[in-house]
Amino acid sequence: MLDAALIEKFRKIKLLSLDLDGTLTDGGLYYAEDGSELRKYHVQDGLGIVMCMKEGIEVCLLTLSNTGAIAKRAERLRIKRYEMGILDKLTRIRAFCTEMGIGLDEVAHVADDVNDLPLLRSIGLPIAVANARPEVKAVSAYVTQARGGDGAVREVCDLLLHHSKHVKRNPLVEGL
């Protein structure tokens, strides 16, 4: 159950920012014989992202990793704002906020590891996946019940769709 203060944080969100490895994936990297990296994504996370964008919540993907397969996943989900090879995610989020005309208090970011701490400490709704590093959980306003790569992003999307004042009511999540 969310308290009133946390519900208010969810209500303000206009931009959902996502880490990739350990958040949209389980954090495992699989290597094919040719040396290419493979990742597993949860289909429910993808549908949650699509529903958020359909209802007017912008979604961005920021990752330190850099592969063509990541670009394909972002493009398949029609995420317009995705960047790979990003060390300084806070600077990118500030730029996105300027483009969108919103404040950092209207941003949620979902993460699992310490490289996202500067961003998490600067936004309105920092979120950790269930299997995040303890330091990430410590600065987060919400910790998902689901693990990264196992529906954690969908959990966040459902909460955003249910509580956001920027979207119309979504019958798919009315029961939350």
Side-chain angles (χ1 to χ4, degrees):
M1 191 73 178
L2 306 181
D3 65 24
L6 187 53
I7 289 171
E8 187 55 33
K9 288 179 185 279
F10 274 95
R11 288 178 53 80
K12 291 178 75 172
I13 299 307
K14 293 181 181 175
L15 174 63
L16 172 60
S17 173
L18 303 169
D19 177 40
L20 184 98
D21 293 318
T23 301
L24 277 170
T25 74
D26 63 6
L29 292 176
Y30 309 89
Y31 287 90
E33 288 299 319
D34 66 2
S36 60
E37 291 179 357
L38 304 174
R39 291 168 173 81
K40 177 185 72 107
Y41 296 93
H42 198 293
V43 69
Q44 291 177 6
D45 289 342
L47 182 57
I49 290 167
V50 169
M51 289 189 318
C52 278
M53 292 186 303
K54 181 179 178 206
E55 295 298 324
I57 298 171
E58 290 287 330
V59 177
C60 71
L61 174 63
L62 299 173
T63 181
L64 184 56
S65 296
N66 191 348
T67 70
I70 294 169
K72 289 278 188 206
R73 181 66 176 157
E75 290 164 7
R76 181 176 186 137
L77 294 175
R78 298 191 173 134
I79 298 173
K80 297 174 197 148
R81 291 180 171 93
Y82 71 90
E83 295 195 23
M84 299 178 290
I86 301 298
L87 280 171
D88 183 359
K89 294 180 182 181
L90 179 55
T91 296
R92 292 308 309 137
I93 288 297
R94 283 187 174 128
F96 290 157
C97 286
T98 298
E99 287 173 24
M100 295 174 62
I102 65 171
L104 287 172
D105 62 323
E106 297 171 297
V107 176
H109 181 71
V110 187
D112 73 308
D113 217 332
V114 297
N115 59 312
D116 286 3
L117 285 172
L119 175 55
L120 292 168
R121 289 183 179 125
S122 302
I123 59 168
L125 183 55
I127 300 172
V129 295
N131 56 318
R133 300 292 308 155
E135 304 93 326
V136 173
K137 289 180 179 180
V139 302
S140 292
Y142 182 77
V143 178
T144 64
Q145 293 178 17
R147 297 171 60 85
D150 196 25
V153 170
R154 176 58 178 270
E155 180 181 332
V156 171
C157 290
D158 286 351
L159 288 166
L160 284 168
L161 289 168
H162 182 71
H163 293 293
S164 179
K165 66 182 177 185
H166 304 290
V167 300
K168 53 188 177 241
R169 284 297 204 203
N170 188 322
L172 295 175
V173 294
E174 278 297 324
L176 289 178

